[in-house]
Amino acid sequence: MKMNSSNIMFLTIMTMSVVMSMTSNNFLTTWTSMEINLISFLPLMKKSNKMNEQSMKYLIIQSVASSIMMTSMIMNSIINHPINESIMMMTGVLMKVGMMPFHLWLPMTMQMMSWTVCKMMMTMQKIIPTIMATQMTSLKLMMMPMAVSMMMGPVVGMKQTSMKKMMAYSSITNSPIMIICLKLSKNQFILFFTIYSVINILMINLMKNKNINFMSQLNNQTKMTKMSMLVSAMSMSGMPPTTGFLIKWMVMKSSMELSTIIPMMMIGSSLISTFMYLNMIIPSLTKSQKNKTEMMNQKESTMVLIINLLGIPLVTLTNLN
């Protein structure tokens, strides 16, 4: 995606809408910022993949979800029922976030996007729906969809051969953890989201620069690229001693006071996700090397390894404190 004046303008509007939603104190302002964010994201999406069909699908799904949320707000104000106990509001939020059972649009849409738009979809576009989920729905009501998303996301992702679809199911798996983290502490959410975004952006940049769109294309990559992909995947799944383990361990430690079910779900989800990523990368590591330029252009792969292995000193410093 070229950074011309129009793209810079839309990115600026997106950023401002996210800041507006984070600083708002009522539903109408948050809902308005969410719609501004949608309108500014659609031109970037259309310019990137040049496909009107996917842009229209995304617009229709997001518009339906927004309509459900607004209808729920009006109905609950009329009947004087608590909004955080509304199933209709929860349905709209789940559609916005892309969590199960309203998740099918996310892998199909990301499959047709460019890697640049996928980065925005997995990072910036998740902030406002996560805020809406924590403000407008109760944790007790969201427990079942969150459990299904954390457990079934990696299970369904095992069957995929497209890297973009696997990243989409990884996003579905991590969305409930973001909601739990924001429910517990805003500072923890900022730290979790920052590290999560860095890991995702590094992994997506690696796949974009190496032109990796399907699992079979990993066979022709260098050993350094394969190891970088493996460590990044382990970090995303939350296995020690990676950086991703540090943030998930932080959320599990805080959620122990809230419920014992949440840490158990997170541990089970991490184990299944690890199996999914190992199933993706290990076969390519055992195959013969076809790429002869092993020592060329390894700077990016080295940076990915260093950042994802920062969990070792960070965990040590945390224990010392």
Side-chain angles (χ1 to χ4, degrees):
M1 184 174 65
K2 297 180 179 178
M3 294 304 295
N4 51 33
S5 58
S6 61
N7 289 343
I8 292 173
M9 181 187 69
F10 289 128
L11 283 171
T12 305
I13 295 172
M14 281 178 60
T15 306
M16 291 176 63
S17 65
V18 171
V19 174
M20 187 169 71
S21 68
M22 294 175 69
T23 56
S24 66
N25 58 0
N26 59 78
F27 172 77
L28 186 60
T29 307
T30 308
W31 185 82
T32 304
S33 62
M34 184 170 59
E35 298 308 307
I36 294 172
N37 184 270
L38 170 64
I39 296 302
S40 58
F41 179 66
L42 284 172
L44 297 174
M45 183 179 174
K46 185 177 181 299
K47 284 183 178 182
S48 178
N49 56 21
K50 306 293 183 182
M51 294 186 68
N52 294 325
E53 183 182 355
Q54 297 301 320
S55 302
M56 286 304 298
K57 283 182 181 179
Y58 183 75
L59 174 62
I60 291 169
I61 291 166
Q62 296 295 315
S63 300
V64 169
S66 298
S67 301
I68 292 173
M69 294 170 68
M70 183 57 71
T71 304
S72 173
M73 192 68 186
I74 296 171
M75 289 179 62
N76 281 270
S77 63
I78 293 172
I79 64 177
N80 197 18
H81 187 267
I83 189 64
N84 59 354
E85 297 179 4
S86 173
I87 297 178
M88 185 179 291
M89 176 61 74
M90 184 189 71
T91 302
V93 168
L94 292 177
M95 288 181 68
K96 278 283 185 182
V97 180
M99 285 169 53
M100 293 184 177
F102 306 101
H103 68 287
L104 294 176
W105 66 269
L106 184 59
M108 290 189 296
T109 306
M110 282 187 61
Q111 172 65 28
M112 305 305 297
M113 290 179 179
S114 66
W115 281 117
T116 304
V117 181
C118 286
K119 280 190 289 188
M120 289 188 285
M121 180 72 77
M122 295 180 66
T123 54
M124 188 179 293
Q125 292 301 106
K126 295 176 75 70
I127 297 176
I128 300 180
T130 303
I131 294 172
M132 294 289 288
T134 54
Q135 291 180 347
M136 308 307 297
T137 57
S138 65
L139 188 61
K140 183 178 179 181
L141 190 65
M142 290 281 289
M143 191 63 71
M144 184 57 70
M146 288 193 301
V148 174
S149 297
M150 280 196 280
M151 294 298 179
M152 294 304 297
V155 171
V156 181
M158 290 180 193
K159 302 179 182 179
Q160 308 301 323
T161 58
S162 170
M163 302 300 291
K164 290 180 181 178
K165 284 189 175 182
M166 292 188 71
M167 295 297 289
Y169 282 106
S170 173
S171 175
I172 293 169
T173 307
N174 285 283
S175 292
I177 303 175
M178 288 188 186
I179 295 172
I180 295 167
C181 190
L182 187 54
K183 283 274 188 183
L184 294 169
S185 171
K186 291 181 181 178
N187 293 330
Q188 281 191 7
F189 173 74
I190 293 171
L191 178 61
F192 181 94
F193 185 80
T194 302
I195 297 177
Y196 170 80
S197 299
V198 169
I199 295 170
N200 269 285
I201 290 170
L202 288 173
M203 191 171 181
I204 289 174
N205 282 340
L206 187 63
M207 289 188 285
K208 177 184 175 182
N209 295 334
K210 303 295 183 180
N211 195 25
I212 303 172
N213 293 309
F214 296 93
M215 288 175 59
S216 59
Q217 293 176 327
L218 284 170
N219 299 331
N220 299 324
Q221 302 300 319
T222 63
K223 291 180 181 178
M224 192 66 176
T225 301
K226 293 176 184 178
M227 287 303 299
S228 300
M229 287 287 294
L230 179 61
V231 174
S232 297
M234 293 298 99
S235 186
M236 287 185 65
S237 65
M239 294 302 291
T242 58
T243 309
F245 164 74
L246 176 66
I247 53 176
K248 289 194 175 181
W249 172 74
M250 174 187 69
V251 178
M252 283 191 289
K253 187 177 179 181
S254 301
S255 62
M256 283 293 290
E257 301 175 359
L258 190 65
S259 172
T260 56
I261 299 174
I262 296 173
M264 290 174 63
M265 291 191 304
M266 291 179 64
I267 292 170
S269 175
S270 295
L271 290 173
I272 301 172
S273 298
T274 303
F275 182 79
M276 178 185 75
Y277 290 125
L278 288 175
N279 188 41
M280 171 185 75
I281 298 174
I282 291 298
S284 65
L285 288 172
T286 59
K287 292 186 179 179
S288 59
Q289 185 71 29
K290 296 181 180 180
N291 199 328
K292 301 300 182 182
T293 59
E294 177 109 21
M295 299 304 294
M296 295 177 62
N297 199 19
Q298 291 188 358
K299 188 175 181 181
E300 185 179 6
S301 300
T302 307
M303 181 62 66
V304 172
L305 281 172
I306 292 171
I307 291 177
N308 281 293
L309 290 176
L310 280 176
I312 302 172
L314 289 176
V315 170
T316 306
L317 290 173
T318 305
N319 290 331
L320 289 174
N321 293 330

